[in-house]
Amino acid sequence: MSGSAPGLWLREVERSQSRPALAGELTADVAIVGGGLSGLWSAHAVLDRAPSASVVVVEAERVAWGASGRNGGWVSALFPVSWARVARDFDADVARTLRLRLVRNVDEIASFLADARTSVEWAHEGTLTVARTPPQWRSLVEELELFDELGLAEPPVLLDASGVGGYLRVEDALGGTFERACAAVHPAKLAELLATRLEARGGLVLERSRVHYHGAGVLLGSRGRVRAEQVIWATESYRAAEVRWHRDLVPVASQIIATAPLEREQLDRLGNPPAGLTFTDGRRLVVYGQIRADGRVVFGGRGAPYRFGSGLEFATEVRPTMQAALAAALDGFVRAGGPVTIDAAWGGTIGVARDWYPRVLHDPLERLTLVGGYAGDGVALSRLSGELAAAYAVGGATVGAGAATVARYQRGPRVDQDGRCARAQTVRWSARRSRARSLVG
């Protein structure tokens, strides 16, 4: 939000000048609110379907200011809902189709980047999930059994402790899994590349241009107005700032630290993990890490409390207690390398739907499509959602069952999220206590 400090990713994006701001009256075939990955992928998908369409992306701050510039940089085949639940809510065929689409999506993003992969620090080295307690090990084994039962594409590979050490030397590892379908990327550089390529295709990207929805096809800002045949609203958790959609998504804080570049000797003691390796473990509170080519380790996690009233203002700073907790969690992965120095910390919100399904919702009367609810998996999922949003906005070829499943079409009953605030904290503390119990027994 305005006035909040950018994180490391955004500070590393070199730009010679800002983009123009909205001023006066503007018309377009498709107007997209949000200059993050969702909005930019949607804009490209619109032009893929309708090359002559006029497209404008309207961003309140700068490209990648929100979750797109404040995440762990995982381009993964992860989905926020478990595969068992997808199979139960739909059927096994849908689970298989969606999983295959998500796996292929990672490779398709690499193809889109082509010779620009180096410029966005693309590295396709997969994900290591470490089991550090017996319950975590059992959970990984059960996950592999589910992959086999449902026939899901590219299942993770089960590793013993020495197998884990072949990727990253984690001192207390009992075993783990390795999944190929994940790449690491510099997310803010990826968003900036998408914006630059969009401009080269004739699209317009406006920054410092906060707008509000003002009825079908109309966006109103303090210095101008946009009229469009179709609007795609792609602000993820910041949808909570719009009164009419204030409670559609729960804004959940996800906060990140980064180490100073590790010395060569430290990397040697860690088993020389490849640059771009992403890693996590089986704890209930999600953590995620990435080893960068410059030797930095970027590491984040969830756990900051939900703010009463779906508040967003807490999201961008990492308080000392949260930074210490993240540093302690990271130490569990890199202790073998020796002490590390934390020299950056930042945060942001992710949008979580009430049932954890990402949503692409279209209202033909309002000429409006809402996109979001990735629950932290949006670096890759945003591309599939963008395809579906573009299909709603301009028509054209179908997107197929895999992308369509990303949408959960019904809104479901509205619930009192503030009434759930205390319960959310209870779940958070329960997860911590469960983690403690698994350590001792």
Side-chain angles (χ1 to χ4, degrees), residues 284-285 303 306 356 420-435 437:
R284 295 187 184 216
L285 286 176
Y306 165 76
W356 290 84
R420 295 174 58 192
C421 181
R423 294 195 294 277
Q425 308 310 332
T426 300
V427 169
R428 188 166 64 97
W429 284 106
S430 176
R432 287 182 176 175
R433 289 165 60 189
S434 175
R435 165 69 177 157
R437 285 196 299 268

Side-chain angles (χ1 to χ4, degrees), residues 7 60 62 73 122 175 215 227 251 348 368 425 430:
R62 57 172 282 188
W122 177 274
R227 297 183 183 274
L368 172 71
Q425 308 310 332
S430 176

Side-chain angles (χ1 to χ4, degrees), residues 284-309:
R284 295 187 184 216
L285 286 176
V286 175
V287 295
Y288 47 87
Q290 175 193 147
I291 297 174
R292 295 182 60 184
D294 63 1
R296 287 182 182 270
V297 180
V298 174
F299 186 81
R302 304 173 202 165
Y306 165 76
R307 192 59 162 256
F308 186 86

Side-chain angles (χ1 to χ4, degrees), residues 57-236:
V57 175
V58 187
E59 164 57 39
E61 298 287 349
R62 57 172 282 188
V63 164
W65 182 261
S68 297
R70 302 174 187 272
N71 60 73
W74 286 34
V75 185
S76 74
L78 296 174
F79 194 65
V81 180
S82 72
W83 293 116
R85 185 175 165 201
V86 172
R88 184 174 67 251
D89 290 349
F90 297 92
D91 57 44
D93 285 340
V94 168
R96 283 190 290 271
T97 301
L98 177 58
R99 168 65 183 181
L100 182 60
R101 185 70 190 90
L102 292 168
V103 169
R104 289 177 174 172
N105 184 46
V106 178
D107 295 326
E108 289 167 3
I109 293 173
S111 296
F112 172 88
L113 294 173
D115 57 3
R117 294 179 201 177
T118 301
S119 70
V120 299
E121 301 182 24
W122 177 274
H124 194 161
E125 296 292 345
T127 295
L128 177 69
T129 301
V130 181
R132 301 164 68 183
T133 68
Q136 290 182 10
W137 173 255
R138 288 194 296 271
S139 178
L140 292 181
V141 171
E142 289 168 0
E143 180 185 27
L144 290 181
E145 291 172 347
L146 180 65
F147 265 74
D148 184 61
E149 176 185 341
L150 296 177
L152 301 178
E154 295 203 19
V157 176
L158 194 65
L159 305 171
D160 60 15
S162 63
V164 169
Y167 294 96
L168 179 66
R169 198 165 292 152
V170 180
E171 288 186 344
D172 59 353
L174 302 179
T177 60
F178 177 78
E179 182 172 347
R180 187 201 72 86
C182 184
V185 73
H186 190 300
K189 289 182 179 179
L190 172 60
E192 184 65 29
L193 176 70
L194 287 171
T196 301
R197 285 191 177 180
L198 179 64
E199 291 164 331
R201 299 179 72 178
L204 176 63
V205 181
L206 302 176
E207 297 182 324
R208 296 166 287 110
S209 302
R210 189 178 305 278
V211 295
H212 297 282
Y213 184 74
H214 202 63
V218 180
L219 304 172
L220 184 62
S222 61
R223 291 175 294 172
R225 183 192 312 260
V226 180
R227 297 183 183 274
E229 290 300 313
Q230 293 284 333
V231 171
I232 298 174
W233 199 278
T235 59
E236 186 58 349

Side-chain angles (χ1 to χ4, degrees), residues 28-31 33 212-219 226-233 242 244-245 248 361-370 392-393 411:
D29 294 321
V30 180
V33 181
H212 297 282
Y213 184 74
H214 202 63
V218 180
L219 304 172
V226 180
R227 297 183 183 274
E229 290 300 313
Q230 293 284 333
V231 171
I232 298 174
W233 199 278
E242 198 70 12
R244 66 181 292 166
W245 306 311
D248 279 7
L361 298 167
H362 180 61
D363 186 334
L365 295 180
E366 294 281 336
R367 309 201 307 271
L368 172 71
T369 303
L370 298 172
Y392 282 135
R411 285 185 180 272

Side-chain angles (χ1 to χ4, degrees), residues 150 195 320 323 387:
L150 296 177
Q323 182 170 330
E387 290 180 357

